[in-house]
């Protein structure tokens, strides 16, 4: 796959992830107002934090894509893709520990079972929203791997040969009374 296409594909994947997380954020913020829940408030905050990390990741990926457009700057692409990769890994950690951990899902099920009214429906919507994020997360992960592969292939295709030679001076004394002469040695 072409370098530009691969980086564009990463941006498409990040947009899909953004859309999924944004939908989850809307659902989390649309929690029932009757009988508030600390869990629901905390969940909403965690989704907002993930959105912030996703924004930073998308910005870095956009800069990486710009670096692979003409003129090609592989070093800049590598540096900005590293920032995007670090941001995505942070998103993965946030997702795993704050949204889909066993403890979080158990609390969500418990909330749906203990509360009446709109709470069970809200919990079901949250579970659905979290499930909708998974394919986008996997897509972005695979896209990042393809970007790194393309950078490695392009870096390997640009081969530079370096040869070193010693250049210096050799001081030769003809006799103790004569001047010192200089010769170049290569």
């Amino acid at each position: 796959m072409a370098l530009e296409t691969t980086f564009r594909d990463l941006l498409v994947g990040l947009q899909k992830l953004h859309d999924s997380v944004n939908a989850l954020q809307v659902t989390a913020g649309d929690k029932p107002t009757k009988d508030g829940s600390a869990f629901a408030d905390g969940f909403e905050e965690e989704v907002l934090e993930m959105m912030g990390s996703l924004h930073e990741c998308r910005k870095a990926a956009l800069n990486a894509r710009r670096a692979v457009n003409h003129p090609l700057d592989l070093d800049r692409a590598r540096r900005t893709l590293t920032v995007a990769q670090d941001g995505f890994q942070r998103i993965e950690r946030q997702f795993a520990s704050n949204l889909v951990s066993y403890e979080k899902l158990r609390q969500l099920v418990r909330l749906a079972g203990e509360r009446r009214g709109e709470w069970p429906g809200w919990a079901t919507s949250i579970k659905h929203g979290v499930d909708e994020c998974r394919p986008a997360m996997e897509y972005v992960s695979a896209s990042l791997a393809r970007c790194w592969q393309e950078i490695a292939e392009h870096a390997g295709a640009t081969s530079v040969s370096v040869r070193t030679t010693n250049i210096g001076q050799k001081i030769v004394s003809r006799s103790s009374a004569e001047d010192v002469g200089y010769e170049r040695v290569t």
Side-chain angles (χ1 to χ4, degrees):
M1 192 180 277
L3 191 63
E4 295 93 357
T5 305
T6 305
F7 278 75
R8 188 176 331 112
D9 193 44
L10 172 61
L11 288 172
V12 167
L14 286 168
Q15 181 62 48
K16 288 178 183 179
L17 180 58
H18 176 269
D19 293 346
S20 297
V21 175
N22 189 51
L24 180 60
Q25 179 184 351
V26 169
T27 302
D30 194 26
K31 59 190 172 288
T33 55
K34 186 177 179 184
D35 297 328
S37 166
F39 170 77
D41 292 340
F43 191 89
E44 182 182 11
E45 288 296 319
E46 290 162 351
V47 175
L48 283 170
E49 186 177 322
M50 191 171 153
M51 281 296 286
S53 297
L54 184 54
H55 175 73
E56 293 172 14
C57 181
R58 289 176 67 199
K59 183 178 174 184
L62 181 62
N63 287 334
R65 181 173 179 249
R66 288 179 181 148
V68 298
N69 287 334
H70 301 291
L72 176 64
D73 185 349
L74 278 180
D75 185 54
R76 182 172 157 230
R78 179 192 55 77
R79 285 184 282 116
T80 54
L81 188 61
T82 299
V83 174
Q85 179 79 51
D86 291 345
F88 182 70
Q89 287 174 332
R90 185 172 46 257
I91 292 165
E92 286 181 313
R93 284 189 306 272
Q94 290 169 329
F95 186 75
S97 63
N98 299 340
L99 303 183
V100 295
S101 69
Y102 174 77
E103 180 63 29
K104 292 292 181 180
L105 294 177
R106 194 177 90 204
Q107 288 176 340
L108 187 62
V109 168
R110 186 176 9 182
L111 178 69
E114 292 174 354
R115 302 287 177 106
R116 301 286 177 239
E118 299 174 336
W119 285 105
W122 180 84
T124 300
S125 295
I126 290 293
K127 174 72 170 86
H128 178 71
V130 167
D131 289 341
E132 290 294 314
C133 292
R134 291 177 196 262
M137 297 278 288
E138 292 169 5
Y139 188 90
V140 171
S141 181
S143 293
L144 278 165
R146 285 190 298 273
C147 287
W148 284 116
Q149 183 179 11
E150 285 289 332
I151 283 180
E153 287 176 6
H154 276 75
T158 314
S159 82
V160 175
S161 177
V162 177
R163 186 177 60 159
T164 61
T165 59
N166 291 332
I167 299 175
Q169 294 179 351
K170 180 178 179 184
I171 300 174
V172 179
S173 173
R174 296 189 183 156
S175 73
S176 55
E178 293 181 6
D179 292 291
V180 176
Y182 296 93
E183 288 183 21
R184 289 205 172 268
V185 177
T186 58

